[in-house]
Amino acid sequence: MANRIHPTAVIGDGVELGDGNDIGPYAVIVGPTVIGSNNWIGPHCVIGTPASDRGAPHPAAWEDPPSGDPERDGFGVRVGDGNRIREYCSVHQGTKRPTSIGSDGYFLRSAHVAHDCQIGDGVTLGSNVVIGGHSEVWSLANLGLGVVVHQRGRIGPGAMVGMGAAVTRELPPFTISRGVPARVSGMNVVGLSRRGVSAEAIAQLESYVLQGAGELPELPAELAKLLTKWAREGHRGEH
């Protein structure tokens, strides 16, 4: 299936595209960038421009091809499949590693993903969300309108962050957080229930995630895999 690229869009050298992508008017995508298949990239989106870092190189990659040296070009952007990236969104090159976006995400108008960020699968970023550099947003997380994430922030899988919140520290998985700074107010009961988790298992999960008590309850395979990885990386206990 061929890509549909509006004639006003700018696709620089060093950009690799899969199949079935829709790229809207005045979008700018420059390399080194790899984009998968079946993504919808809206008007005026900008993907692959230099990091907002005074020490980073700022090549004119919309005209000049990448040199092949990541210290000059940036360390790239990687985007998976089936994302919906709405108008005016921006994604910057990495400075130490590729900036990475998974698959099946929905990024609303003017969301920004800074350099070196790692965004998982099925993530929702509301309008005007700003993710600071080197941050991690794990799969299935949902960030409301205007959320700001400080550099090197970490948001756990399935977490929901209320609109206008300022994330200054790690937020645990499948929790609800709100405020400035963002504070955990409970578990994401609705999100867990929709994924087949029983009320009893949610109660067990709350103790496991927030108090570091007990064992991981029986969960659908996708959730169990995410939470096991989170715990394996040391992100467990009260925050």
Side-chain angles (χ1 to χ4, degrees), residues 1-3 17-21 35-39:
M1 183 177 178
N3 295 302
L17 294 173
D19 299 318
N21 295 293
I35 294 177
S37 298
N38 302 315
N39 296 287

Side-chain angles (χ1 to χ4, degrees), residues 66 91 104 108 136 173 197:
V91 182
D104 301 317
L108 280 70
E136 297 178 13
V197 182

Side-chain angles (χ1 to χ4, degrees), residues 2-42:
N3 295 302
R4 296 200 308 171
I5 303 172
H6 193 274
T8 61
V10 175
I11 310 296
D13 290 334
V15 176
E16 300 178 29
L17 294 173
D19 299 318
N21 295 293
D22 284 311
I23 300 175
Y26 301 103
V28 176
I29 306 175
V30 295
T33 290
V34 177
I35 294 177
S37 298
N38 302 315
N39 296 287
W40 191 96
I41 298 172

Side-chain angles (χ1 to χ4, degrees), residues 118-130:
Q118 307 292 291
I119 311 296
D121 297 331
V123 168
T124 299
L125 302 183
S127 294
N128 300 315
V129 167
V130 178

